[in-house]
Amino acid sequence: MKYYLAIDIGASSGRHMLSWIEDGKMRLQEVYRFYNGMDQVDGHLCWDVGRLFAEIVAGMKECKKIGKIPTSMGIDTWAVDYVLLDDKDQVLGNTYAYRDSRTDGMDALVYEKIPQEDLYARTGIQKQIFNSIYQLMAHKTQEAELLGKAKTFLMIPDYFHFLLTGVKKQEYTNASTTQLVNAKTNDWDYDLIAKLGYPRDIFLPIEMPGTEVGHLSQTIQDQVGFDCSVVLPATHDTGAAVMAVPSLSDDTLYISSGTWSLMGTELKTANCSPDSMACNFTNEGGYDHRYRYLKNIMGLWMIQSVRKELSPDEEFGSICEHAATETITSIVDANDDRFLAPQNMTAEVQAACRESGQKVPEGIYQVAAVIYNSLAKCYADTVREIEKIEHVTYPCINIVGGGANAAYLNELTAKATGKTVYAGPTEATAIGNIMAQMIAAGELQDLAEARKCVFHSFEIKEEKGC
């Protein structure tokens, strides 16, 4: 039996998922789970990459304990955040988290070098103030000395792969989220990098998912008790999740539903048009040079925050079920930046309702109902925008990721969009990570075969639209 290990690290937790093929179906086993979260360091929100790597190693030891040694492994994480390494491969300064406010005003400095319209035409990436392009401008203006010492720029999962193998490789899907990759060449836009005054030499050649990084270093082998190959998955978690969308049609809408809701479709050619920019769609890199044409919607981060504030011990499923019984119809703009990192999400939702003259929700179930209503409306608006821009009518929406379990939200989405909603698999990110490894190993032939395998391996729930 060949085992494959996906280490999937999100903004709030990480897990080690083993997978194998048995009776023609993909099987999954969670072997380790750990906490993740942003820490306050010197007044900034940061990631503790040292602690996260210790958790990576700890989970690998669990594979040894249960006697299931992976043939290969790969790590995916969230996007846009990075480390800068010096000439001794040590991390320079803090590893900032994307919700940190240091990027405030950095967009204006970027647009002094290149107009926003030209930037979108080159990269096809939507404006998000936390994109790496703005984070690097913050480094340049606030910590120029550190940026000057940098010898290597690595996205977070690429840094972890380096710690495992001693080999540095920069993976494509995550690199595309920096807003520094040219949408036509699928390579770093070095002219753009020069315009912005970022050091060219820190950016490594871009590699595609399925590329072998190397084998575990001897130091890591001694710690975990085995050796295996490290293979690049789609290291951006959404890139991995989209791989696992169990549709065999090219005209497919998806929502990768988790902390963020990423809603869109796959394109073979990036859409960098003014209309696309006006609707704030992004063209992130996908497996096999496909483009993930999507919009970032605030997502279940809002529910996660409200739960933490009002009812931290209650299960999300219970919150969703109780919200379904509420009759409140208030709606907020879930994409408003006010919900990105408020001091209190509950108070922010209530304030938004109050300011717009709507009923103000009280208690976790009413607040959750407002959030679910608002997300469904965002999804419906996004469907209409995609269909207008792409001149395609989509028959259904595939929801993957943890949010696929939110039955009430799926029901609202079906009603708001008028589309049939298919929900699942919930472990899409880990599955997509493993798909890239299995294709690289020859166990699955290509993406189409891998998606067929996912379709037949996991339960997919259906919710009819109006």
Side-chain angles (χ1 to χ4, degrees):
M1 189 80 69
K2 286 186 177 180
Y3 297 101
Y4 302 86
L5 176 63
I7 301 177
D8 170 33
I9 308 177
S12 59
S13 67
R15 66 264 178 86
H16 291 55
M17 303 288 289
L18 278 172
S19 183
W20 63 96
I21 298 293
E22 183 178 334
D23 298 327
K25 293 186 177 182
M26 185 183 293
R27 308 296 185 184
L28 283 178
Q29 179 183 358
E30 181 181 304
V31 296
Y32 191 74
R33 182 175 286 267
F34 56 93
Y35 162 79
N36 189 24
M38 294 167 278
D39 300 323
Q40 282 281 349
V41 180
D42 301 325
H44 292 279
L45 292 173
C46 299
W47 302 110
D48 186 344
V49 291
R51 183 187 65 78
L52 288 176
F53 187 68
E55 296 283 14
I56 290 169
V57 171
M60 293 169 67
K61 291 178 181 178
E62 291 299 313
C63 297
K64 175 68 173 178
K65 285 182 183 178
I66 64 175
K68 294 181 177 180
I69 307 302
T71 297
S72 69
M73 61 173 291
I75 301 172
D76 65 79
T77 74
W78 63 98
V80 307
D81 291 337
Y82 57 86
V83 298
L84 297 175
L85 303 181
D86 64 14
D87 56 357
K88 295 181 181 179
D89 293 330
Q90 299 300 305
V91 176
L92 287 162
N94 295 321
T95 304
Y96 294 103
Y98 61 89
R99 293 189 190 274
D100 185 64
S101 62
R102 73 192 183 108
T103 55
D104 291 351
M106 294 302 108
D107 49 346
L109 297 181
V110 167
Y111 302 148
E112 287 178 4
K113 305 296 183 181
I114 179 170
Q116 186 176 1
E117 296 79 8
D118 294 347
L119 179 61
Y120 187 84
R122 295 170 80 134
T123 68
I125 299 299
Q126 73 180 135
K127 163 71 179 297
Q128 297 277 9
I129 193 60
F130 48 69
N131 287 352
S132 314
I133 190 174
Y134 307 113
Q135 292 200 47
L136 281 166
M137 185 58 73
H139 255 120
K140 181 184 174 185
T141 57
Q142 301 165 17
E143 297 179 290
E145 183 179 356
L146 287 183
L147 186 59
K149 292 179 179 178
K151 299 299 179 183
T152 309
F153 169 99
L154 286 177
M155 305 298 282
I156 298 294
D158 298 310
Y159 175 60
F160 290 146
H161 288 147
F162 165 63
L163 293 180
L164 288 171
T165 65
V167 179
K168 300 174 188 173
K169 287 191 181 295
Q170 178 70 71
E171 189 272 331
Y172 168 64
T173 64
N174 221 337
S176 72
T177 70
T178 63
Q179 209 171 354
L180 292 168
V181 171
N182 189 290
K184 293 181 179 178
T185 67
N186 297 314
D187 196 4
W188 297 115
D189 191 325
Y190 288 109
D191 180 60
L192 172 61
I193 289 168
K195 286 178 183 292
L196 296 169
Y198 303 156
R200 174 192 175 110
D201 293 343
I202 66 175
F203 298 98
L204 301 179
I206 293 176
E207 307 276 0
M208 294 302 296
T211 300
E212 183 179 56
V213 180
H215 277 253
L216 300 179
S217 69
Q218 189 61 55
T219 299
I220 299 299
Q221 290 182 45
D222 292 343
Q223 291 183 56
V224 302
F226 63 86
D227 184 25
C228 73
S229 172
V230 176
V231 173
L232 292 178
T235 63
H236 181 201
D237 50 13
T238 307
V242 171
M243 283 186 68
V245 172
S247 173
L248 307 182
S249 170
D250 287 336
D251 293 332
T252 296
L253 285 175
Y254 58 78
I255 303 174
S256 177
S257 180
T259 300
W260 288 92
S261 290
L262 297 312
M263 184 174 192
T265 188
E266 280 188 317
L267 300 180
K268 295 181 179 178
T269 304
N271 185 340
C272 303
S273 67
D275 287 343
S276 178
M277 177 184 167
C279 291
N280 206 29
F281 280 93
T282 199
N283 295 267
E284 295 174 352
Y287 185 83
D288 197 24
H289 284 129
R290 294 164 179 254
Y291 292 90
R292 292 176 285 129
Y293 188 63
L294 58 85
K295 177 175 285 191
N296 282 38
I297 299 169
M298 202 66 72
L300 297 179
W301 155 253
M302 298 176 73
I303 292 288
Q304 293 163 0
S305 299
V306 169
R307 171 182 178 263
K308 183 177 180 180
E309 292 160 2
L310 297 181
S311 188
D313 296 327
E314 187 166 4
E315 297 290 336
F316 286 112
S318 171
I319 295 171
C320 190
E321 289 176 8
H322 282 90
T325 67
E326 297 290 343
T327 58
I328 188 169
T329 59
S330 302
I331 290 175
V332 300
D333 179 3
N335 272 347
D336 194 314
D337 284 347
R338 69 191 296 172
F339 302 119
L340 183 62
Q343 290 186 347
N344 186 287
M345 184 67 76
T346 303
E348 202 68 39
V349 171
Q350 291 171 328
C353 291
R354 188 177 301 110
E355 291 163 13
S356 59
Q358 301 179 86
K359 181 178 179 181
V360 177
E362 297 294 338
I364 187 168
Y365 305 133
Q366 284 196 1
V367 175
V370 169
I371 292 171
Y372 288 132
N373 290 338
S374 303
L375 289 175
K377 182 179 185 304
C378 274
Y379 298 160
D381 291 344
T382 302
V383 169
R384 287 190 286 271
E385 289 173 340
I386 294 177
E387 291 186 333
K388 182 177 179 180
I389 292 171
E390 287 298 307
H391 307 290
V392 175
T393 299
Y394 298 91
C396 62
I397 301 170
N398 290 264
I399 301 179
V400 299
N405 283 327
Y408 179 51
L409 179 56
N410 297 339
E411 178 186 336
L412 290 175
T413 300
K415 290 179 179 177
T417 63
K419 309 288 185 184
T420 298
V421 167
Y422 296 102
T426 58
E427 301 291 353
T429 303
I431 292 168
N433 181 322
I434 289 159
M435 287 165 63
Q437 296 182 54
M438 287 185 171
I439 294 170
E443 188 141 8
L444 295 171
Q445 181 178 352
D446 54 23
L447 182 61
E449 183 182 1
R451 282 177 166 163
K452 287 180 183 178
C453 182
V454 171
F455 182 83
H456 293 296
S457 298
F458 301 97
E459 181 184 6
I460 312 297
K461 297 179 181 179
E462 181 178 346
E463 181 72 49
K464 291 289 187 181
C466 299

